[in-house]
Structure formats: structure tokens, C-alpha cells
Amino acid sequence: MKCPACFASDSRVLDSRPVDEGASIKRRRECPICGKRFTTYEVIDNVPITVVKRSGKHEFFDKHKLMLGIERACQKRPVNAGEIADSVEQELQNMIVSEVPSSDIGEMVLSRLREIDIVSYIRFASVYREFADIDSFMSEIKSLNRRSRKKKRAEEAEVVEND
């Protein structure tokens, strides 16, 4: 690391400690040439993610924009939109890809909402899947009911097996 005072190309690390809940490292350094002490921060450099919209347009992933969409669907519901947006962003970062279709992001959100709150799920799905009429809503609700019945039967079978 270059010294900010004399621009010597080497410095000695005196102390290192994690900060921001382990998201970065604070290092206290000293220049061997001029003796100046300074602090540096080491953080993970995330590759920017490009979202490919339905129209074919490309734009950078914006967690705030995603969170606003989730908040609209979860208005007056017991859902933390920030946690969902954080988990989607983390999953995208873990995928190690530079481009993601917006449909994949929408499905990530829907899968999380389906587990947390069905009303928020339906609200988000109605916009994301562009429900055009009542039949679209009914089809989605029937699908959720089938899934719920299957899940309930599987849980009941598991209880019987464990007895």
C-alpha cells in the first residue's frame, strides 16, 4: 500500500481488525520511509450485476428499486421487504454471473414471498406476471391451493412415519 505522505510503495501493517460485522477489515499501517501512520480499509469488491429486462434493455441491479417493489406488495403485511431484497441480492452475488434476466429475480422474490405471506405473494405476482383479469388471479390461487394441499399431505405422512 502506498504511503499518502511520501508515496513510498511499501508499508507495514501494525494492526488489523474486522469492522461492519466482518464485511471489511480496518488496517493500521506505518510507512518505513517517513514513519507516517495511516488507516486503510479492505472490502469485498462485488462485480456489478446487469439486469436484462423483458424489453431487452440492460440496466444495473438496484436493490433499492427491488425493495420498493416488494414493499408495495407487502404494504400492511407482516413482511420485511429489506430482508427479502438482501437475500435476493446475496443470491445474485453468489451466482457469480454478470447478467441476470429480470424474470429470474422476480421468481426469487416470489419463492420467498410464497413461504412468508400468501397475500403479499399474490400482490407481487399480479404485477410481476401481469395478471390481466380475474381468471389469472383464480388460476394462481388454485395453483397455491394445490401446492398447499400437497405440502399438508406430505407433512401428515411424515408425522405418521415418525409415530
Side-chain angles (χ1 to χ4, degrees):
M1 182 66 64
K2 279 189 175 181
C3 172
C6 71
F7 303 106
S9 61
D10 197 19
S11 62
R12 188 170 65 103
V13 176
L14 302 173
D15 181 40
S16 291
R17 64 182 67 175
V19 291
D20 295 331
E21 298 176 7
S24 60
I25 297 175
K26 178 181 178 179
R27 298 195 194 280
R28 193 73 183 136
R29 297 176 176 268
E30 182 178 50
C31 176
I33 307 298
C34 68
K36 167 99 172 138
R37 290 185 177 198
F38 56 99
T39 303
T40 60
Y41 292 89
E42 183 179 311
V43 295
I44 296 171
D45 185 21
N46 291 323
V47 176
I49 298 168
T50 304
V51 178
V52 182
K53 308 294 270 181
R54 289 180 187 161
S55 65
K57 181 181 171 193
H58 289 65
E59 62 181 55
F60 286 117
F61 173 75
D62 182 356
K63 184 172 82 172
H64 182 69
K65 184 176 175 182
L66 176 64
M67 197 163 58
L68 289 175
I70 297 169
E71 282 175 347
R72 272 187 233 114
C74 301
Q75 194 169 17
K76 296 184 181 181
R77 301 297 303 164
V79 178
N80 186 330
E83 284 181 12
I84 294 172
D86 287 343
S87 71
V88 168
E89 180 183 40
Q90 187 63 51
E91 185 175 342
L92 292 171
Q93 290 293 342
N94 291 343
M95 290 171 61
I96 312 173
V97 293
S98 60
E99 285 190 355
V100 177
S102 61
S103 59
D104 289 358
I105 296 171
E107 291 300 327
M108 289 177 192
V109 172
L110 284 173
S111 70
R112 285 160 174 81
L113 287 175
R114 187 181 308 116
E115 299 299 318
I116 297 170
D117 185 60
I118 295 299
V119 173
S120 299
Y121 169 85
I122 291 292
R123 288 177 178 173
F124 191 86
S126 70
V127 174
Y128 167 68
R129 294 195 174 136
E130 298 176 341
F131 290 174
D133 53 24
I134 193 71
D135 292 333
S136 303
F137 276 98
M138 292 306 295
S139 174
E140 191 65 34
I141 290 170
K142 286 177 184 176
S143 172
L144 285 170
N145 279 335
R146 281 191 301 273
R147 188 179 297 218
S148 177
R149 283 193 299 265
K150 283 181 185 178
K151 186 176 177 181
K152 189 174 184 177
R153 278 189 230 126
E155 288 171 354
E156 288 171 353
E158 187 176 312
V159 168
V160 170
E161 282 181 15
N162 291 336
D163 286 345

